[in-house]
C-alpha cells in the first residue's frame, strides 16, 4: 500500500510560507541594491521646483489604476518566480547599467531610470508574459515622469533653438525678408516666451513622448518597427509645429511690428500645434498595428482561479534562491563615484582695486542649499564697478551637480525670467545674459552668469560642464553669477569689462590650486 506524500514535504522550497519568505528576501535585497535612488526620488516628488513632474506622476498613476482595474493584474507574493528570460535580461541589464551610472556618471535621473526598468523586469517574474509585454508602456510612463526635460534642454535645447532660428531666417529670406539674423530671431522670440522652456521644442518632445506611450497602452498597440516609424513621424511633426510657431511670431511681431498680437498668439499657436501633432500621432498609432486582444476574463465568464498563474513558463524551485544570491552579489559591487578632494570652506579671492566689494554672507539655509549637492564653497558680495552696482555669487565645485542654474534661484526669490540668451565676449568666453521682472513688471533687473575652469575661460553651456565630469581627473569649476541693481544693459562696455575682470580673478584663483 502506497502512502500519498504531499509534494511540499518532498520539496520544501515549494511550500507557500517558504515561497513568501524568499520573495520577501528578494524584495528587501532589491531595495538595498537601489538604496541610493530613493533619496533622489523623494526630492523629485516633494520639492516645489518639480511640480510639473509631480503632476505628471499623479496623472500617470491615476491612468495606471484605471487601466489595471479593468484588467487582471494581481501578482501574489506567495507564488514562485517564473523563468521569464526577457524579464531576467532586463533585471540584469538594468542593474548593471545602474551600477555603471553610479560609479562613472553620477547622473541621478539615469540611475532612477535604470531602477525603474530593472524593477519592471523583476515584476515580470510574477506576471503573465503576455500581460507583462502589454504593460511595458505603463512602466515607461512612470519612468518618463522623471525630469528628463531638464537634461534634454541642457544637451540639445540651445542647439535646437539655433537650428530653428536659422531655418526661420532662411525661410524668411526666400520670402524677401533679408534683414533678420539669428540673434534677432532668438532675442525676439525669447522675449515673447521664456527661453529654454517651450522655445526649443524640447518640452514638447518630452510631453509628446508621454502622450504617445499612454496612447500606445490605452489603445493596446504593439511596439514594433511600424510603431517606431510612427513615433519618428510624430516627433518630426512636433518640431515642425514649433518651427511654424516661431515663424508666425517673427512675421507678426518682428516683421509686421505687432508685438502685442505676437504675445497673444504665442500660447494658442503652441496649443494648436501640439494638439494637431498628437491627433496625427493617434492616427499613425492606429495604422501601425492592430489592437491586441486583452487576456483579462469577462464578467460573464466562469471563474478561473488558476488562470492568473497558468503554467505557461516554468517555475523552478532553484530560481528564487539564485535570484536572491544574484541581487546580493550585485549589491556588493555597488560603489558611488569617488569625490575629488577639494579645499573646503571659503576661497581667497583677490579683486582688482577698481572693483569695490563688501562681503554679503549667505544665510545658513542658503549656504546649505548651495552646498548640499557637492559645492565646496559659496561666497557672495555686493560690488561697485564704475557706474554699475549689484551683487555677485561665486560657487566652486568639483562636480556638475554642485552647480545649479541661476534662473531657478531668481525664481525662488520671486523674480520672473523675461529673457535669457548667450553672448559671446571672445572665442573662449561666453556668458549667459538674463533679464528679470517681478509682479508682471518687465525688465526690472539684469544679470549674467558663466561657468569657468582652469582650461575653459568661460561658458554658459551646462553640457560642457557635465561632459567635463566624465574625466577621471575631475577639476574644480566656478560658477560666477552677477546680479545688477536695476535694468542696465548687460552688453554695455563697462559690463563686459566687469565680466573680463571677474573671469581673470577666477582664472588666477584656479591657477593656484
Amino acid at each position: 500500500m502506497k502512502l500519498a506524500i504531499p509534494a511540499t514535504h518532498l520539496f520544501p522550497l515549494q511550500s507557500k510560507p517558504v515561497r513568501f519568505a524568499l520573495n520577501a528576501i528578494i524584495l528587501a535585497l532589491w531595495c538595498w541594491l537601489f538604496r541610493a535612488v530613493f533619496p533622489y526620488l523623494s526630492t523629485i516628488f516633494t520639492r516645489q521646483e518639480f511640480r510639473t513632474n509631480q503632476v505628471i506622476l499623479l496623472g500617470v498613476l491615476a491612468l495606471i489604476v484605471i487601466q489595471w482595474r479593468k484588467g487582471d493584474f494581481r501578482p501574489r507574493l506567495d507564488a514562485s518566480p517564473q523563468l521569464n528570460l526577457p524579464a531576467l535580461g532586463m533585471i540584469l541589464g538594468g542593474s548593471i547599467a545602474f551600477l555603471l551610472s553610479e560609479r562613472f556618471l553620477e547622473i541621478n535621473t539615469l540611475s532612477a531610470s535604470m531602477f525603474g526598468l530593472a524593477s519592471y523586469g523583476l515584476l515580470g517574474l510574477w506576471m503573465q508574459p503576455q500581460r507583462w509585454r502589454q504593460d511595458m508602456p505603463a512602466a515607461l510612463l512612470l519612468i518618463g515622469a522623471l525630469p528628463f526635460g531638464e537634461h534634454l534642454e541642457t544637451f540639445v535645447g540651445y542647439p535646437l533653438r539655433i537650428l530653428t532660428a536659422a531655418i526661420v531666417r532662411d525661410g524668411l529670406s526666400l520670402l524677401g525678408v533679408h534683414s533678420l539674423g539669428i540673434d534677432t530671431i532668438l532675442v525676439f522670440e525669447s522675449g515673447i516666451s521664456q527661453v529654454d522652456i517651450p522655445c526649443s521644442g524640447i518640452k514638447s518632445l518630452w510631453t509628446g513622448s508621454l502622450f504617445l506611450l499612454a496612447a500606445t497602452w490605452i489603445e493596446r498597440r504593439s511596439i514594433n518597427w511600424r510603431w517606431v516609424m510612427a513615433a519618428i513621424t510624430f516627433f518630426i511633426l512636433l518640431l515642425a509645429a514649433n518651427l511654424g510657431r516661431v515663424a508666425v511670431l517673427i512675421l507678426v511681431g518682428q516683421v509686421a511690428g505687432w508685438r502685442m498680437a505676437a504675445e497673444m498668439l504665442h500660447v494658442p499657436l503652441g496649443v494648436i500645434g501640439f494638439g494637431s501633432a498628437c491627433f496625427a500621432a493617434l492616427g499613425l498609432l492606429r495604422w501601425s498595428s492592430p489592437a491586441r486582444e486583452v487576456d483579462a476574463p469577462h464578467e460573464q465568464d466562469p471563474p478561473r482561479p488558476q488562470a492568473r498563474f497558468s503554467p505557461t513558463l516554468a517555475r523552478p524551485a532553484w530560481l528564487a534562491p539564485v535570484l536572491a544570491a544574484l541581487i546580493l552579489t550585485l549589491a556588493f559591487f555597488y560603489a558611488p563615484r569617488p569625490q575629488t578632494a577639494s579645499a573646503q570652506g571659503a576661497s581667497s579671492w583677490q579683486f582688482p582695486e577698481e572693483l569695490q566689494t563688501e562681503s554679503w554672507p549667505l544665510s545658513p539655509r542658503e549656504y546649505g542649499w548651495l552646498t548640499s549637492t557637492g559645492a565646496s564653497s559659496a561666497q557672495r558680495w555686493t560690488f561697485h564697478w564704475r557706474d554699475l552696482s549689484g551683487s555677485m555669487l561665486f560657487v566652486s565645485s568639483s562636480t556638475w551637480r554642485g552647480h545649479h542654474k541661476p534662473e531657478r534661484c531668481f525664481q525662488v526669490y520671486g523674480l520672473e525670467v523675461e529673457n535669457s540668451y548667450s553672448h559671446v565676449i571672445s572665442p573662449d568666453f561666453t556668458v549667459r545674459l538674463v533679464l528679470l521682472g517681478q509682479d508682471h513688471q518687465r525688465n526690472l533687473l539684469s544679470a549674467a552668469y558663466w561657468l569657468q575652469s582652469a582650461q575653459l575661460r568661460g561658458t554658459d553651456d551646462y553640457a560642457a560642464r557635465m561632459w567635463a565630469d566624465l574625466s577621471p581627473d575631475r577639476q574644480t569649476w566656478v560658477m560666477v553669477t552677477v546680479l545688477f541693481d536695476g535694468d542696465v544693459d548687460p552688453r554695455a562696455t563697462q559690463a563686459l569689462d566687469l565680466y573680463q575682470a571677474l573671469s581673470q580673478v577666477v582664472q588666477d584663483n584656479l591657477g593656484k590650486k
Side-chain angles (χ1 to χ4, degrees), residues 187-238:
V187 171
F188 179 83
E189 204 270 341
S190 297
I192 297 297
S193 58
Q194 291 183 12
V195 173
D196 291 340
I197 294 180
C199 309
S200 66
I202 291 298
K203 292 295 179 67
S204 297
L205 293 178
W206 176 45
T207 309
S209 299
L210 296 178
F211 168 82
L212 185 62
L213 288 172
T216 301
W217 189 37
I218 295 173
E219 293 282 321
R220 303 190 303 276
R221 304 290 165 170
S222 300
I223 298 180
N224 50 30
W225 69 270
R226 296 182 72 179
W227 182 93
V228 173
M229 295 300 298
I232 294 175
T233 304
F234 176 44
F235 295 149
I236 293 175
L237 290 175
L238 287 174

Side-chain angles (χ1 to χ4, degrees), residues 298-317:
H298 297 283
E299 293 182 359
Q300 63 270 25
D301 293 340
R304 295 177 296 171
Q306 303 299 324
R308 300 189 192 107
F309 296 97
S310 55
T312 55
L313 292 177
R315 299 178 181 272

Side-chain angles (χ1 to χ4, degrees), residues 235-252:
F235 295 149
I236 293 175
L237 290 175
L238 287 174
L239 294 175
N242 181 69
L243 180 65
R245 180 183 66 88
V246 174
V248 171
L249 291 178
I250 295 299
L251 282 172
V252 173

